[in-house]
Structure formats: C-alpha cells, structure tokens
C-alpha cells in the first residue's frame, strides 16, 4: 500500500505542526508509561524527525526535560527516521522487524545514531496495531 501521488502532494503542503503536536502527545504518553529517564537521555535537547517518504509527511519533535514538544519544518533535526507508509505500518503491526527493513534500505536512520536508536526503541513500544488494522481495512476497500 502506498500513498497516491495527489494525496502525498496535498499532505506535503499542509502545516507540519499539527501532526507533530499529535506525535508529541502520543510520545509523551508512551514515555510516561514505558520509558525511564535513562532511555530518554540520548534524546534530551535534540529534535528528531520521522518522515513518511511516500506521503510527503515529516513529523518533528524535540525532547526537553524528558517531554516531547512539536517543532516545525524549519528546525534542523539531530536525527531522522524515514520509511514508506507501508513499511511503518508493517513495523507497527509487527509484521516486519526494524533491523530487517534497515538492512534492506527500506528504513533509514540518519544523523545522531544514539538519538535515532533511542527514538526507534521508543516508537517500537507504541501499540499501534489497532490503527494499522484500521488502515488495512480502508486500503482493502479500494
């Protein structure tokens, strides 16, 4: 499943802050429940961007004081995690392993390695299987 080009073009034109705000809220809940201060230390003071390549979507958050806040596109991230929507969904549904996608060059980690791995590990704790199942049902209707 990939994002149709017209939809991606529209998404790329939308403001970056609203999806980043949602991501920051989700990450704060996940961090409060599953992370300890030591696991967040590599992220402290750093901006991390998650890019959905085929959707034209870039979500950027900064970790400050163990909490995540949304930032805009103008911020230069310390680390970037990027993949296509289908690959992020496969990760979320636990159908793919992050290391397998990384070595297949379908998932990229750039910049501060320690920060990107800390973010990847935090994202891996998110149970988004219900959301992935919803997207799969929507895609099946096409």
């Amino acid at each position: 499943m990939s994002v149709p080009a017209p939809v991606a073009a529209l998404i790329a034109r939308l403001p970056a802050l609203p999806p980043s705000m949602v991501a920051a809220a989700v990450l704060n809940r996940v961090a409060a429940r599953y992370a300890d201060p030591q696991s967040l230390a590599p992220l402290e003071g750093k901006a991390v961007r998650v890019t959905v390549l085929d959707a034209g979507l870039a979500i950027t958050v900064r970790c400050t004081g163990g909490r995540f806040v949304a930032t805009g596109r103008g911020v230069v991230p310390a680390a970037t995690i990027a993949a296509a929507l289908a690959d992020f969904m496969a990760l979320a549904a636990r159908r793919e392993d992050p290391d397998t996608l990384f070595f297949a060059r379908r998932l990229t980690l750039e910049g501060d390695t320690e920060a990107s791995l800390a973010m990847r590990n935090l994202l891996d704790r998110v149970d988004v299987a219900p959301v992935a199942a919803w997207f799969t049902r929507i895609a099946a209707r096409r």
Side-chain angles (χ1 to χ4, degrees):
M1 174 171 97
S2 66
V3 178
V7 173
L10 175 65
I11 292 170
R13 289 191 175 111
L14 295 174
L17 207 49
S20 295
M21 291 171 70
V22 171
V26 169
L27 287 169
N28 284 327
R29 290 191 62 140
V30 170
R33 186 167 183 181
Y34 299 109
D36 57 57
Q38 184 178 358
S39 67
L40 295 178
L43 296 167
E44 185 60 35
K46 297 176 183 170
V48 177
R49 181 167 290 145
V50 177
T51 304
V52 183
L53 297 169
D54 57 339
L57 179 64
I59 296 168
T60 309
V61 295
R62 180 182 307 278
C63 184
T64 305
R67 299 214 19 99
F68 292 92
V69 294
T71 63
R73 285 191 177 120
V75 172
V76 176
T80 301
I81 301 170
L85 178 62
D87 291 327
F88 278 126
M89 289 178 56
L91 286 170
R94 309 290 194 256
R95 289 190 317 266
E96 289 282 358
D97 174 80
D99 293 330
T100 301
L101 292 179
F102 177 79
F103 289 113
R105 299 185 188 267
R106 291 170 40 201
L107 174 71
T108 61
L109 304 174
E110 297 175 349
D112 183 325
T113 305
E114 191 176 17
S116 61
L117 288 174
M119 180 60 84
R120 186 199 83 172
N121 291 338
L122 184 60
L123 291 172
D124 195 40
R125 294 179 180 132
V126 178
D127 181 16
V128 292
V131 175
W134 180 77
F135 275 115
T136 302
R137 285 193 306 273
I138 295 295
R141 292 181 189 167
R142 288 183 168 184

